Amino acid sequence: MSQWSPTFVQELLPAAEKTALLYRLSYLCLANFPNLERIIRSRAVETQLLFGSSEATMLKCILTGESLVQSLFPMLMKAVEKNKAILVVKFLGKAQVWIKEVISDVERIVEKYDLHNKDVASSTSDVVVEKLHIDKAREKKDIEMEKAKNILNHLKSDLQKTTEELAEIERKINHKSKEIQKFARSITQKSKGLGIFAAIVPFIGLLLKSIYDAVCDPEHFAHMKALEAELNNLFTEKTALKQKQWQLELQIIDWQMKFAKLILNTSIPDPIHLNEVQCSLSKIQAILIQLRNFWENVAQMLDCLEQKTFVGEYLIEDLAELKDEFLESIKIAKEAWSSFGEGCKKASVIFKLQTKNAYRFLEVSPSSLSKEQWQKEYESVKKQLEKIDSPQCVTSSNTPAISE
């Protein structure tokens, strides 16, 4: 018959408490992920219900063993001693019904662990997919920010260049205006009226009109026309640069707003704790696998106990002659069931939550916690997990949970 090692059950003792804490940690880390938060809440409830079913099934194993050992086997032995073959058959039939029923319940529990482990694995995949989506979104955001930054730098460079060009144009306009005034003064000797205008009129337009009105020399007239054309070109260039400067300033304001929105964009949550969620779910899966193996061991033991219980069934036809052999087989079965029951009592604590409020955290959304509350809760859970995982928490036992 299978035997649990002395430390097998001991290692699983904190399973319920540790699982609840791992769910609590995962739940906290999903404060900014409502979809994943909903999924983890659902999985935590499923696990809690599964542990409740496990505790109920383990209790049924204990009660079935007690019923066989304390009630049915004694009556079966009396029926054998009195050669009551019909009663022996009835008692064995009753035992078979009880044993088959508990075996069926244990097999269902094993199936539930398999299914639930797949659900938790699916949740782990959901976390991985969410992390990939966030990584892509953040990469896209980084690219957009880099693009906006480059465009802003380019626009600012263009604006600086345009401003410098405007300053140069202003310098050229001032230089050309002085050149015109100088030319006007050079011809004032031939026109007293022009000299007066050249001396008192600060506006180039009026000055040019006065010159044209006063100049009679065609050569002077042509030279003035050339100077005027150059001045007009400079003003045209200045106007174009002013317009360009204005457009660049508007574009810079627009891209500065876009850049600020990208910086302030909180629609992409920080995935810093998703790795921790993934790790916690993997640990929960490992615990579920351990517990499934535990129940598989229980199923194997029950198969063995069933065989021991009915090993003498073929002796019923010769009950009178083989009474002692039959009684010996029942005695062996009784001892095996008694040992099994004691082991189940020790193992039943695996599924008892350390506190009745282990899953009360599901009633409060982590997003509703303040930053300080969240940090305090997070640190508390981490410390509790570290305490469970510390070597001194695993104590040895010289007595097997279930022996042969």
Side-chain angles (χ1 to χ4, degrees), residues 15 74 97 334 347 354 397:
V97 170
K334 183 179 178 181
Q354 301 302 312
S397 172

Side-chain angles (χ1 to χ4, degrees), residues 92-354:
L92 286 176
K94 176 64 71 175
Q96 189 171 43
V97 170
W98 291 354
I99 295 170
K100 290 292 184 186
E101 188 176 327
V102 74
I103 287 175
S104 178
D105 286 350
V106 170
E107 288 175 346
R108 280 196 293 270
I109 283 292
V110 173
E111 291 176 1
K112 286 182 179 180
Y113 273 97
D114 279 330
L115 291 173
H116 187 52
N117 196 31
K118 290 177 182 177
D119 288 341
V120 176
S122 175
S123 300
T124 305
S125 297
D126 291 335
V127 174
V128 173
V129 170
E130 183 69 18
K131 187 173 182 298
L132 288 174
H133 286 165
I134 290 176
D135 288 341
K136 288 182 179 179
R138 288 170 70 88
E139 183 180 353
K140 181 181 177 182
K141 179 180 176 181
D142 289 342
I143 291 173
E144 290 176 348
M145 288 184 67
E146 186 65 23
K147 177 183 175 182
K149 185 178 179 181
N150 290 337
I151 291 175
L152 267 173
N153 290 337
H154 181 70
L155 289 172
K156 289 177 179 179
S157 178
D158 282 353
L159 179 61
Q160 182 179 357
K161 182 179 178 181
T162 302
T163 301
E164 291 172 355
E165 290 175 352
L166 267 172
E168 179 63 18
I169 288 295
E170 287 287 356
R171 188 188 66 77
K172 289 180 179 180
I173 288 173
N174 290 335
H175 179 75
K176 189 58 61 178
S177 298
K178 290 178 180 179
E179 187 179 350
I180 291 173
Q181 290 179 348
K182 182 179 179 181
F183 177 71
R185 289 192 186 95
S186 69
I187 60 176
T188 53
Q189 296 175 358
K190 300 179 181 180
S191 174
K192 293 182 179 179
L194 182 59
I196 295 172
F197 275 105
I200 67 173
V201 179
F203 302 103
I204 296 298
L206 292 176
L207 177 60
L208 290 174
K209 184 179 183 302
S210 302
I211 293 173
Y212 285 129
D213 289 342
V215 172
C216 296
D217 188 331
E219 186 177 339
H220 288 169
F221 189 89
H223 184 64
M224 183 56 64
K225 275 291 184 181
L227 291 174
E228 180 188 7
E230 291 174 4
L231 185 61
N232 287 336
N233 287 337
L234 289 172
F235 275 117
T236 300
E237 191 174 349
K238 177 182 177 181
T239 301
L241 286 172
K242 276 286 188 183
Q243 185 64 26
K244 182 180 179 181
Q245 184 185 49
W246 173 245
Q247 291 297 327
L248 286 170
E249 289 173 346
L250 290 177
Q251 290 180 57
I252 287 172
I253 292 172
D254 182 48
W255 279 100
Q256 283 176 333
M257 291 179 65
K258 290 179 180 178
F259 190 73
K261 286 180 180 179
L262 287 170
I263 293 175
L264 298 174
N265 183 14
T266 56
S267 62
I268 304 176
D270 192 340
I272 186 172
H273 291 297
L274 286 187
N275 285 334
E276 197 159 13
V277 175
Q278 186 178 345
C279 181
S280 295
L281 291 176
S282 296
K283 289 179 180 178
I284 291 172
Q285 280 185 262
I287 292 173
L288 293 173
I289 290 172
Q290 281 184 300
L291 292 175
R292 183 199 63 192
N293 294 338
F294 168 87
W295 282 110
E296 285 179 343
N297 275 341
V298 174
Q300 290 173 7
M301 292 174 192
L302 286 170
D303 286 340
C304 184
L305 287 169
E306 184 181 28
Q307 293 174 18
K308 289 195 176 194
T309 301
F310 300 104
V311 70
E313 190 175 16
Y314 72 96
L315 302 174
I316 294 176
E317 294 181 0
D318 301 306
L319 187 59
E321 291 78 9
L322 301 172
K323 183 185 302 183
D324 291 340
E325 288 80 358
F326 201 116
L327 288 173
E328 182 63 23
S329 70
I330 296 172
K331 181 181 177 182
I332 293 173
K334 183 179 178 181
E335 290 174 354
W337 275 101
S338 179
S339 176
F340 175 77
E342 289 302 314
C344 285
K345 288 178 182 178
K346 294 177 182 179
S348 64
V349 297
I350 293 172
F351 307 102
K352 293 182 182 295
L353 297 180
Q354 301 302 312

Side-chain angles (χ1 to χ4, degrees), residues 31-46:
N32 297 317
F33 302 88
N35 292 334
L36 291 176
E37 177 188 322
R38 185 178 64 255
I39 292 172
I40 295 303
R41 184 192 295 116
S42 175
R43 296 293 176 258
V45 171
E46 289 175 14

